[in-house]
Amino acid sequence: MSDLYTLLAFLVAIVVLVVLIARFKVHPVATLFIVVVTLGLVLGMGGTATVELVKEGFGSTLANVGLLIIFGCVLGKMLELSGAAMKITETALRMFAEKRVPWAIALASTVLGIPLIADTAVVMLIPIVSALAYRTGISMMKLGPILYIGAYVMTSVIPPGPGPLASASLLDVSMGEAILYGLMVGLPGVLAATLYLSRIKTYVAPKPEFVEHLVTAGGSAGGGGTDAPAGDETPAPRVSLFGSLLPILAPIVFIVFASLAAPVLPEGSWITAVVLFVGEPTMALFLACLLALPLFRGRWRDKETLNDLFESGLRIAAMPLALTGVGGALATIIRETGVAENVAGTIESVGLSPVIIPFLVAAAVCTITGSNILGVMTSAAIMQPLIPSLDLSPLVVYLACATGAQIMKHANSSGFWVTTTLSNMTVGQGIRSIGVASVISGVTGFAVLYAMIAVGIV
């Protein structure tokens, strides 16, 4: 079987993958399975061997990342239903003067994007942001997309977001490195996107249903100079800021501390054993779920909290779990069929910088399918077998996938429609704000990554 045939089969498989999902709306899990099996067959692996490899790749991938995804989704649901997300947002709004409101929203969104999917953050907080826009006279074309973009970037670059979790597992990147370096490329992206959005001049009023209670009360746009955040219109959540932040920050601290301290702690000591145990990502996320229980106060013993809430998290985790497993199967097929060597040889002959490839693959998948989670997962699965041939570190590939997978949000994305619709924007205004901001965040993050490579940080 010629190298050209192998390479063409791989390229056609990727095109078919994207077309089935984007054009024909076939479910991503079914699409990935079809593409993986077909690729194995056309590359001469045989039916039985192909199915065995698919099962091997699926099982080994979920063994590494399955519980991580489950506990991460459960934690996000707990923070949503307990009022912790609302408390963090209201506190951020109180920290900033009226003219700095966009930055308060960006801060809250960035923190909430660690455990929550961006769409969820928007649905939860858009009433607060809309009321704030009405009081201050700030355009929803600024505030709505800013609410989305902070969580969107964090969901793309650091665990426990399902995409980064799966990508780090597929590429064998430690969770500590994924968090630390993900923040280094993600935060500049949020900053650059927020700067762009905060300078938009077009005024868009909030949706009437979100502010009609303010109109009835005699409020007026422009707010009369008040700094009071919109959250004052409803009772503040009965949770503390410390309690709200603890389940978010604790697992990050546990994982990063274990990653940094383990090499210098005495080998075999009980301190080292405890640090490694608590800092193991699966255990760290489970402990975070336990730390979120006090947020429910007396309700933490109820069936709705201990059982039903966990089941809600499991339902959210089902899709990322299936995608991750089949993505692992795709990586196994690519590795076993010689595709990696052919792709690496083509890249070398063209003269492209190898680090651009995972960035472009992730950007293409996200732009065409509308999913940053699918973009970072799929690109990681495609790139994992290519790492030795391209002479790239797994961490660099992870960061390139994470930044590329932010590009770009438009009319084929649920997050785009949720934010555009609830922010009272037209499709054109959504593309000018959300679409452009997502490109800015991804390109900025990749530029930071390129600079880090140049100075030897990664």
Side-chain angles (χ1 to χ4, degrees), residues 205-222:
K207 288 178 75 70
E209 54 264 41
F210 292 136
V211 298
E212 58 188 8
H213 61 295
L214 298 176
V215 177
T216 303
S220 60

Side-chain angles (χ1 to χ4, degrees), residues 410-421:
H410 59 94
N412 64 350
S413 161
S414 62
F416 175 88
W417 283 112
V418 165
T419 308
T420 298
T421 303

Side-chain angles (χ1 to χ4, degrees), residues 104 114 117 134 145 187 194 246 250 290 328 376 401-402 406 433 435 448:
I114 297 172
I117 294 173
Y134 181 84
L187 292 178
T194 303
L246 185 62
L290 296 182
V376 70
C401 291
Q406 298 169 39
S433 57
V448 172

Side-chain angles (χ1 to χ4, degrees), residues 167-336:
S167 178
S169 176
L170 286 166
L171 298 171
D172 198 25
V173 174
S174 74
M175 293 300 157
E177 287 185 322
I179 292 170
L180 273 177
Y181 291 98
L183 286 172
M184 291 175 69
V185 300
L187 292 178
V190 175
L191 175 64
T194 303
L195 279 171
Y196 164 75
L197 291 168
S198 64
R199 283 162 172 72
I200 287 178
K201 303 297 184 184
T202 305
Y203 179 75
V204 175
K207 288 178 75 70
E209 54 264 41
F210 292 136
V211 298
E212 58 188 8
H213 61 295
L214 298 176
V215 177
T216 303
S220 60
T226 180
D227 287 339
D232 290 346
E233 303 301 327
T234 57
R238 294 181 60 198
V239 293
S240 68
L241 178 63
F242 176 78
S244 300
L245 288 173
L246 185 62
I248 299 174
L249 300 180
I252 294 176
V253 172
F254 293 159
I255 293 169
V256 172
F257 182 73
S259 177
L260 297 176
V264 299
L265 289 174
E267 189 174 348
S269 72
W270 68 269
I271 296 177
T272 304
V274 170
V275 168
L276 293 178
F277 176 71
V278 173
E280 201 284 321
T282 302
M283 183 53 62
L285 279 177
F286 180 70
L287 291 174
C289 293
L290 296 182
L291 290 171
L293 284 176
L295 294 171
F296 293 88
R297 297 182 179 268
R299 293 181 292 131
W300 76 266
R301 302 181 185 88
D302 298 346
K303 174 180 176 292
E304 289 78 9
T305 302
L306 294 178
N307 184 278
D308 298 354
L309 190 148
F310 201 91
E311 287 190 359
S312 298
L314 284 174
R315 285 193 289 272
I316 296 170
M319 172 74 158
L321 281 171
L323 275 174
T324 303
V326 184
L330 174 61
T332 302
I333 292 290
I334 292 173
R335 184 170 56 248
E336 295 295 325

Side-chain angles (χ1 to χ4, degrees), residues 154-169:
M154 290 298 105
T155 301
S156 303
V157 300
I158 67 168
L165 267 177
S167 178
S169 176

